[in-house]
Amino acid sequence: MTGGVAILSGLSIAYVILFFCRCLLGWNGKPYCKTVDSGAGIAQTTGSQQVQADVAQVWTNRAGTMAVLADGIGSANTGAVCAQITADTILDRFEPYHELNDPVYFFRSAFWEANRRIQKTTGERRGGASAGAVFLNRSHLYYAVAGDVRIAILRGDEIIPLSKGQTIDVLAAQAYEDGKISRQDTLWSMEEKRVWNYLGQDGFREIEVCDQPILLRQGDKVLLMSKGIFEEISWSEIEDILVDSASLQELAERMVDAAEQKKNLQADNGSVILIQGLEA
């Protein structure tokens, strides 16, 4: 009980209250997910973990659709609170927009604000969140990632990964391309999947953003997923699931089911967000 009191005392009371109220809104013990976009599907699994520290939310306004997937980092409920802060910060800033003219600037400023809020809330306690965000307007897709969230598009029958993620292996590969490290050092680093940048850490660095906006095509399905999904099922398995003509919600649930069927005793929390790019 002492540990639980310490956690509460180390976190912002407002966010703790907000988090637990939202957990109570879940049905049948399922984690809280918010969507005000009927054209989206959201599904989650706790994996082998005791606490669901992912937050998956979608919001649509006049500017377009914003999807946020935050994967909390930290013991007990600390990670869950950090993930909720991340989603709240990005979506609260997006909600009043009627038009979003510079999505890249929006992502950078919103992610830095989320980083600041997490640090202020957690204080000396270790915590943070990996996060991925996607903005869709009438014709284009923009995305941003801090940490290890994967973003992809299903176009026709082909899955196209978009984000690389900010993990050690990706950093090493980029350093090799830039001529900063040897091929041997790169090979030694390729098995290292730890994140090197995430919201809430000291020395938070630049986020990954798309170099150019991605022109959407009719029938595109946009996918965001956290570790408990992409570490359990392969790209080919994901592709096989998403080519079906079922609803986005059903497809998201099928992805979660496929991850759970692996029965990995070390499986992380997993979340899926699916958004229709342009109607077919």
Side-chain angles (χ1 to χ4, degrees), residues 158-202:
E158 180 183 4
I159 192 81
I160 305 171
L162 298 179
S163 65
K164 296 178 180 179
Q166 296 185 311
T167 53
I168 298 297
D169 58 326
V170 173
L171 182 65
Q174 185 61 56
Y176 174 71
E177 289 181 11
D178 295 341
K180 296 179 180 179
I181 63 174
S182 69
R183 181 175 182 275
Q184 187 61 55
D185 287 339
T186 304
L187 292 174
W188 284 340
S189 301
M190 293 313 291
E191 297 302 315
E192 181 56 79
K193 306 297 183 182
R194 287 183 299 114
V195 295
W196 58 269
N197 190 41
Y198 61 88
L199 296 166
Q201 75 168 10
D202 292 332

Side-chain angles (χ1 to χ4, degrees), residues 27 46 69 116 118 205 236:
W27 290 91
T46 56
L69 200 169
R116 186 190 67 80
I118 289 172
R205 301 173 180 86
S236 61

